[in-house]
Amino acid sequence: MFSFVAKIIQQIAHYPKTMIALFSVLALLSIYPIENLRWEIQLQDTLNGKEVEADYQAIEKAFGGFGSLTVVIQSKDSSANFQFAQNLARHLENDPAVHYTEYMTDLDFFKRNRLLYASEKDLDQVIEKLDKIKDEQIRKHNPLLVDLAEPSSLPPTHDTVEIISQIEAKYFKSLQQDFANQQGSIRIIDIYPTTSISDLQANRQLLGKVQRFVKKNQNGINVYYTGKVYDSIKAGKALLPEAKFAGGIAALIILVLLIINFYRQPQLIFVSAIPLALPTVFTLGLAYVLFGRINLFTLSLGLLLPGHACQIVTHVFSRYFHEREKKLSPVLCIESALLGIGPVVTASSFIMAALFSTFILVPLPGLREFGILGAIGSMLNLLTCTLLTTSLLLILQRKKPFDIHFDASTYRHRKRLFSFKVNWIIITTISIVSAAAWLYSGINLQFLYDFKQTEMQLEEREAKALIAEIGFSTYDPIIVMLPDSSFNDDLVENFEHLQKKGRLKDLGKIYTQYQFLPKTSVEKKHKIETLKKLVSDDILARLNSNDSAAIIEMLDNYENDIKEFELSESIRRKFSDKSGNSGVFAFIIPSSDPNNGITCRHIAEQLQQIDGIHDRTYKVYGTPILRATLLDTILGNIDKSILFGTLLMWFILLLFYNKLSRAFFTLLPALFAMSWVTISVHLLDIHISAYSSIAFVLLIAVSVDGALQLWSAYYEKQGGNAWTIMQTKLLRIIGAQGASFVGAIAMLLSPHPGIKSVGLIAFIGLLCIFVSLFTIYPLTASTLDAYRILKKAKKRHERLIRKNP
């Protein structure tokens, strides 16, 4: 199979001009798709399209962005702060990019309607108090009643009903969010967009509008920004340039490798650079065609694919140089190189593509896109690097072939490291120790659940310090989308019932439109009518000025409010969708830190206890759900990718060799390398995160390339035994395996902690692969040599005995 693919590539390579023209056209066609790629680099974007655990697409479409642009203003003038916030809210009121803006609790609305919001118990207390005052007034002015008690020497005092403080303490305080400190010197404005948090362009435009308003109206007020909208902008500013920087470092490393390899033939640096770059360009173009975006995982392909391409180019050139050493023409050398190295490179690329494709088993759209594009990119590396490299070599050498300076030594004597018995003892000892250490380390591996160490943390210290003074909630709310407003009361009752039972330990308050509606009943109406009859000038005179004014205001507004009651615009917009359907959203505030992955899992489990969420009548989304889904999806399925990837690699090796023992010996260094990676991670006390776990799958693919090269040469019997093959192939293997470090080193320079953790595991793994390759292969191969020598010696001895009995 792989020889057949190599022959096809060799036949296509006979048309170099066509190949160069084809790849040039494809490169030009890739410019537009790459320029129009959406850069969706938020964690939630990796779930885009996943409907098993998250309903955020439907909620986002109806509600808007999951997060806000939080503007923190500070000055000594509290009235100026309030006026600034109010003017900004009015400025954005009719903006189509803004869903709603919050900067204060609607106290004026509550005060106007406090009589409707008062509970029946509160009304009973007021009526009882007023009735007592009225009774005292009647007794005082009734001449027929004589008070036989001695008159009090104390001056009369005003009785206090305190209906305002009762209602606010019992009701409003439990609902409202503080948007300012007591002095009013610090105030918060929360702006919720209608667009997705992932839309960097929309986020920048919204921030730009606010900044332009601030510039015109600041007038001595200090303004700070925070919130998810601002974080996404800052993350984009930090991640994209740093990703380009990491890509530049990767390109620089590859350039250094090319210079080291081709410093005597500098023209070959150009011949190598183009085939190395184009497959990644084609893959990015296909990302637009297939998915229209680059997500947090596929972003790393720009660092991984060039390393694999560099491996292929290194193998092709090494074999080409080896053939040129025989003084053959460039055409014959290229044909010989493609037929000689082609099957091995094809098998290695198929293994790489197969391992990438195993990410499809992880039901996370962002990771599946990574797997699909990685598999396609691996095959593009195979085709582009072989066909374009050979095409350029043929075109550039038609008139005058390059002078090739290739230092290679051929050893004609046999040399083995140790005897068969010693080799066998060493291999057995290493195997037992590695297996025991691997089992112990694998059981005791620690997982990193702290999202502060895996997500980009963009601290706005001034803003967060000011927010802390207010007591404003720093936890993003969990958003619940209801079929309609009639489900509000059921949700609240069920939530409060579960909370009383202690089954929602990590959930704090719930906010629905239902809670902001006054509780009306016939009995309550009768009590209000009774209260109205009790109020008179004499009784009001006995109250303090605040309570008497409040009662007059309540009674004046009562008739209008009870007939045509409407919630305030700010409250209605908070719980409405973008189409104006009221009461379809509810908000649950976590009481525990969602940066803890275990807490996120607990929150997700507790939410499933709520009726409507459990049976999926309600749609629900929030940061804890996103993170719990990410952990459960990746950590719960990555073992399938590792297992299936290993089986696929085993199957491809069997197809390549068509012999069980040869496939096993080729796989052996990879198995040792993976066990040593696990041991190293445990000894270095590195915790595996949801991100870094994917590195193990990639390492399996990378680990087999060098072993394939060595064992293929060994089985071809190219000039000597295991030791001499190791000597002749050493520089090529070091160069090819060294190229695979390019992606790992570049990822280590990434500003994103998650991507950096992938790079760390990959770097450790590649070191283990190097050590395994240059210890396990010579030990195993020299053991086979010693065994064959012993076997031949025994046969000779038997023949001698037969001849001389």
Side-chain angles (χ1 to χ4, degrees):
M1 174 184 174
F2 304 104
S3 297
F4 177 70
V5 173
K7 287 179 181 178
I8 292 175
I9 293 174
Q10 181 260 335
Q11 289 297 319
I12 297 174
H14 286 146
Y15 307 96
K17 290 183 179 179
T18 304
M19 288 297 100
I20 293 172
L22 175 63
F23 287 121
S24 299
V25 170
L26 290 176
L28 291 173
L29 291 176
S30 300
I31 295 173
Y32 175 81
I34 293 173
E35 287 181 345
N36 290 274
L37 272 171
R38 298 193 314 273
W39 293 82
E40 298 183 354
I41 51 177
Q42 297 295 312
L43 187 61
Q44 71 178 42
D45 301 325
T46 61
L47 286 166
N48 188 19
K50 181 177 174 61
E51 298 175 357
V52 178
E53 298 291 339
D55 299 308
Y56 79 92
Q57 283 181 305
I59 298 176
E60 192 173 67
K61 184 178 179 181
F63 179 80
F66 296 121
S68 64
L69 173 61
T70 303
V71 184
V72 185
I73 58 176
Q74 179 195 33
S75 78
K76 294 180 180 179
D77 191 341
S78 59
S79 60
N81 290 345
F82 178 82
Q83 192 64 43
F84 179 89
Q86 187 178 57
N87 291 339
L88 177 56
R90 287 175 179 172
H91 176 70
L92 299 173
E93 188 173 3
N94 298 316
D95 194 314
V98 177
H99 182 38
Y100 70 93
T101 302
E102 284 188 302
Y103 63 96
M104 68 172 184
T105 304
D106 205 345
L107 289 177
D108 290 338
F109 171 80
F110 290 141
K111 287 178 180 178
R112 288 197 308 271
N113 297 280
R114 62 171 68 91
L115 189 58
L116 293 175
Y117 282 98
S119 66
E120 291 185 24
K121 186 178 179 181
D122 290 334
L123 290 175
D124 285 337
Q125 290 176 356
V126 175
I127 290 170
E128 183 182 349
K129 189 69 175 178
L130 294 183
D131 195 42
K132 181 180 178 182
I133 294 172
K134 183 177 181 180
D135 186 59
E136 289 176 356
Q137 288 293 99
I138 292 172
R139 287 175 177 275
K140 181 178 178 180
H141 294 91
N142 191 339
L144 300 177
L145 294 176
V146 179
D147 192 353
L148 299 177
E150 294 183 6
S152 174
S153 59
L154 296 173
T157 58
H158 291 294
D159 290 298
T160 302
V161 180
E162 295 180 340
I163 185 172
I164 303 170
S165 60
Q166 286 181 34
I167 296 171
E168 289 184 356
K170 293 180 181 179
Y171 194 75
F172 300 140
K173 286 292 184 184
S174 65
L175 292 176
Q176 73 184 42
Q177 172 71 273
D178 292 322
F179 289 90
N181 60 356
Q182 276 190 329
Q183 299 79 20
S185 59
I186 305 170
R187 182 168 288 278
I188 289 174
I189 310 159
D190 242 3
I191 305 164
Y192 284 83
T194 56
T195 52
S196 170
I197 294 295
S198 305
D199 192 339
L200 288 177
Q201 188 62 28
N203 292 343
R204 288 167 181 161
Q205 289 174 357
L206 177 59
L207 178 63
K209 291 175 186 176
V210 174
Q211 287 176 330
R212 286 192 291 273
F213 176 88
V214 169
K215 189 175 181 180
K216 291 180 182 178
N217 302 275
Q218 196 164 0
N219 296 328
I221 296 175
N222 298 318
V223 180
Y224 307 93
Y225 302 96
T226 185
K228 277 205 162 184
V229 172
Y230 188 67
D231 286 348
S232 73
I233 297 169
K234 294 284 285 184
K237 285 183 178 179
L239 189 56
L240 294 181
E242 291 295 335
K244 292 177 181 177
F245 173 74
I249 293 296
L252 182 62
I253 295 171
I254 291 174
L255 181 62
V256 170
L257 290 174
L258 293 177
I259 292 172
I260 292 172
N261 282 328
F262 308 128
Y263 68 94
R264 293 181 178 177
Q265 300 94 22
Q267 64 271 39
L268 293 182
I269 297 174
F270 167 77
V271 175
S272 306
I274 296 176
L276 287 176
L278 284 184
T280 304
V281 172
F282 297 156
T283 304
L284 293 176
L286 283 172
Y288 174 81
V289 174
L290 297 175
F291 310 111
R293 66 167 185 163
I294 286 291
N295 67 58
L296 197 56
F297 293 111
T298 54
L299 182 67
S300 62
L301 287 175
L303 307 176
L304 294 172
L305 291 178
H308 176 240
C310 196
Q311 282 184 327
I312 296 174
V313 170
T314 302
H315 292 317
V316 171
F317 271 116
S318 296
R319 189 59 178 255
Y320 174 76
F321 291 165
H322 181 77
E323 299 299 331
R324 281 296 305 276
E325 194 183 27
K326 299 175 184 178
K327 308 301 182 182
L328 298 176
S329 68
V331 175
L332 290 176
C333 288
I334 286 172
E335 287 190 2
S336 179
L338 289 176
L339 292 175
I341 203 67
V344 180
V345 170
T346 302
S348 178
S349 298
F350 269 67
I351 289 171
M352 181 68 76
L355 268 294
F356 268 116
S357 67
T358 59
F359 286 111
I360 298 173
L361 298 175
V362 182
L364 191 72
L367 206 49
R368 283 179 170 174
E369 292 173 20
F370 172 76
I372 292 169
L373 290 174
I376 293 173
S378 299
M379 300 313 296
L380 286 173
N381 277 340
L382 171 64
L383 296 173
T384 308
C385 291
T386 53
L387 289 173
L388 189 56
T389 301
T390 54
S391 296
L392 289 171
L393 282 173
L394 283 172
I395 292 294
L396 295 175
Q397 294 186 96
R398 278 193 169 178
K399 293 184 178 180
K400 184 181 179 181
F402 299 148
D403 292 327
I404 299 298
H405 303 280
F406 182 64
D407 297 326
S409 300
T410 302
Y411 296 88
R412 299 189 180 279
H413 62 279
R414 291 184 173 273
K415 178 182 178 182
R416 63 177 184 268
L417 295 176
F418 303 107
S419 66
F420 173 79
K421 186 177 180 180
V422 173
N423 279 342
W424 183 251
I425 292 172
I426 294 173
I427 291 174
T428 304
T429 305
I430 293 175
S431 300
I432 293 172
V433 172
S434 296
W438 174 72
L439 286 172
Y440 176 78
S441 299
I443 293 170
N444 292 281
L445 277 181
Q446 298 295 318
F447 289 94
L448 181 62
Y449 291 103
D450 187 359
F451 278 86
K452 284 184 178 179
Q453 297 184 48
T454 59
E455 301 303 314
M456 291 190 73
Q457 300 297 318
L458 305 166
E459 292 192 12
E460 296 83 33
R461 294 181 181 177
E462 298 88 350
K464 291 187 177 180
L466 294 173
I467 288 173
E469 289 187 37
I470 297 174
F472 189 81
S473 175
T474 56
Y475 297 156
D476 295 321
I478 296 164
I479 302 175
V480 183
M481 185 177 177
L482 312 172
D484 57 64
S485 59
S486 64
F487 290 83
N488 275 220
D489 51 352
D490 292 337
L491 175 60
V492 173
E493 288 174 10
N494 186 227
F495 183 89
E496 292 176 347
H497 173 70
L498 291 170
Q499 204 166 48
K500 285 178 183 177
K501 286 189 170 184
R503 293 166 63 182
L504 305 179
K505 294 179 181 179
D506 297 294
L507 300 176
K509 296 179 181 179
I510 185 170
Y511 296 95
T512 67
Q513 184 172 287
Y514 165 79
Q515 294 163 284
F516 287 86
L517 293 170
K519 311 302 183 290
T520 57
S521 63
V522 176
E523 185 64 27
K524 185 175 179 179
K525 185 175 181 180
H526 290 325
K527 290 180 180 180
I528 293 174
E529 293 296 333
T530 302
L531 178 61
K532 285 177 66 177
K533 292 175 182 177
L534 284 173
V535 174
S536 65
D537 292 339
D538 290 336
I539 290 177
L540 291 174
R542 290 289 303 273
L543 302 176
N544 65 31
S545 58
N546 289 335
D547 282 342
S548 61
I551 289 177
I552 293 170
E553 185 182 10
M554 285 190 300
L555 295 177
D556 287 343
N557 289 318
Y558 168 67
E559 290 297 334
N560 293 330
D561 289 342
I562 198 67
K563 288 178 182 177
E564 297 180 3
F565 176 82
E566 284 189 3
L567 282 169
S568 68
E569 177 67 16
S570 62
I571 295 175
R572 281 192 289 110
R573 288 192 72 177
K574 183 182 180 73
F575 298 100
S576 300
D577 61 17
K578 291 189 283 189
S579 300
N581 299 311
S582 63
V584 294
F585 287 107
F587 305 93
I588 299 174
I589 308 296
S591 58
S592 301
D593 187 2
N595 281 316
N596 187 322
I598 296 176
T599 298
C600 292
R601 282 177 162 175
H602 291 164
I603 290 173
E605 290 171 2
Q606 290 165 24
L607 286 168
Q608 291 302 313
Q609 300 180 58
I610 300 173
D611 295 339
I613 293 178
H614 176 69
D615 60 15
R616 298 185 66 79
T617 301
Y618 310 150
K619 291 178 170 57
V620 61
Y621 177 79
T623 299
I625 299 171
L626 162 67
R627 291 174 171 177
T629 302
L630 183 79
L631 288 171
D632 293 340
T633 305
I634 294 182
L635 298 182
N637 294 280
I638 198 67
D639 58 331
K640 298 176 186 175
S641 294
I642 294 173
L643 177 61
F644 190 62
T646 305
L647 292 175
L648 275 177
M649 183 169 65
W650 176 254
F651 177 72
I652 292 171
L653 288 175
L654 282 176
L655 282 179
F656 180 72
Y657 289 116
N658 199 24
K659 195 170 183 179
L660 185 64
S661 60
R662 293 187 175 186
F664 173 75
F665 289 136
T666 303
L667 193 61
L668 205 56
L671 295 177
F672 276 96
M674 293 308 297
S675 68
W676 295 347
V677 172
T678 307
I679 296 165
S680 301
V681 168
H682 174 65
L683 292 176
L684 294 172
D685 196 26
I686 298 172
H687 290 197
I688 303 298
S689 70
Y691 290 96
S692 60
S693 60
I694 70 175
F696 287 91
V697 183
L698 300 176
L699 286 172
I700 295 172
V702 175
S703 63
V704 79
D705 180 76
L708 260 174
Q709 298 293 331
L710 288 170
W711 282 105
S712 296
Y714 178 83
Y715 294 130
E716 289 173 9
K717 302 292 183 184
Q718 291 181 353
N721 59 8
W723 177 251
T724 57
I725 289 170
M726 188 74 178
Q727 291 285 324
T728 56
K729 296 284 185 181
L730 183 64
L731 292 177
R732 182 198 298 180
I733 300 301
I734 289 176
Q737 288 295 139
S740 60
F741 276 88
V742 171
I745 294 171
M747 284 191 287
L748 279 172
L749 299 174
S750 171
H752 193 285
I755 295 176
K756 186 180 291 185
S757 67
V758 177
L760 178 61
I761 299 296
F763 188 80
I764 294 171
L766 289 168
L767 289 176
C768 292
I769 289 168
F770 253 92
V771 175
S772 173
L773 193 61
F774 297 126
T775 55
I776 301 303
Y777 164 76
L779 284 170
T780 308
S782 60
T783 303
L784 289 177
D785 279 337
Y787 174 75
R788 287 168 182 164
I789 292 170
L790 285 174
K791 195 172 181 181
K792 288 180 181 179
K794 183 183 281 188
K795 286 182 179 179
R796 284 197 301 269
H797 181 66
E798 290 174 354
R799 283 197 299 268
L800 288 172
I801 291 174
R802 283 196 298 268
K803 287 181 180 179
N804 303 294

